[in-house]
Amino acid sequence: MQSIIDSKSQLKTRLQQPFVGDFVKIEAQYHRYAAELFPQIAPILADLTTHLENIAWVKSLSFSDGKMDSLLSDLNNTLAGLQTTFQLLCQMRNNMAQFHHIDIKS
């Protein structure tokens, strides 16, 4: 990880430069796989800076300070609250649809 962090700017610079030179020779049986590969890696390369920053951030994390348990507990509570709110909104939407359906019949 340290080598990736150390060579982050060089990696970004090299990947942003267009490829100049001989074409990449690929046997005919592998053309399909190469054609599928490039669209799949394009978003990854587009977000390369973010991925490299995430690697640097993870390296700087320290789990020995004991804060992870409280963070996970807060996250769990927040997600539970979001789930409850979502369920209430779904129930309200269904009730409104039923009310609208009854109103149309009247």
Side-chain angles (χ1 to χ4, degrees):
M1 276 210 320
Q2 187 62 39
S3 64
I4 293 172
I5 294 169
D6 292 341
S7 60
K8 178 170 64 172
S9 62
Q10 180 186 6
L11 181 62
K12 287 192 300 188
T13 302
R14 291 191 71 201
L15 287 172
Q16 290 173 348
Q17 294 174 350
F19 178 73
V20 179
D22 293 335
F23 55 90
V24 178
K25 296 179 182 178
I26 300 175
E27 293 184 32
Q29 63 187 10
Y30 301 115
H31 280 211
R32 186 185 95 204
Y33 301 112
E36 292 172 0
L37 171 71
F38 290 115
Q40 291 175 0
I41 65 170
I44 295 169
L45 293 177
D47 292 334
L48 181 64
T49 301
T50 303
H51 296 311
L52 291 173
E53 289 171 359
N54 288 342
I55 290 171
W57 176 75
V58 166
K59 185 179 182 302
S60 70
L61 281 179
S62 172
F63 296 107
S64 61
D65 60 4
K67 293 181 180 178
M68 185 58 69
D69 287 335
S70 65
L71 287 174
L72 289 175
S73 177
D74 291 345
L75 179 62
N76 188 30
N77 292 337
T78 303
L79 290 175
L82 284 172
Q83 183 179 15
T84 301
T85 303
F86 176 73
Q87 289 172 346
L88 289 171
L89 286 172
C90 290
Q91 185 179 20
M92 184 172 38
R93 185 180 79 182
N94 291 337
N95 290 341
M96 293 298 285
Q98 287 176 356
F99 178 73
H100 182 68
H101 183 68
I102 291 170
D103 191 39
I104 291 174
K105 287 183 178 181
S106 308

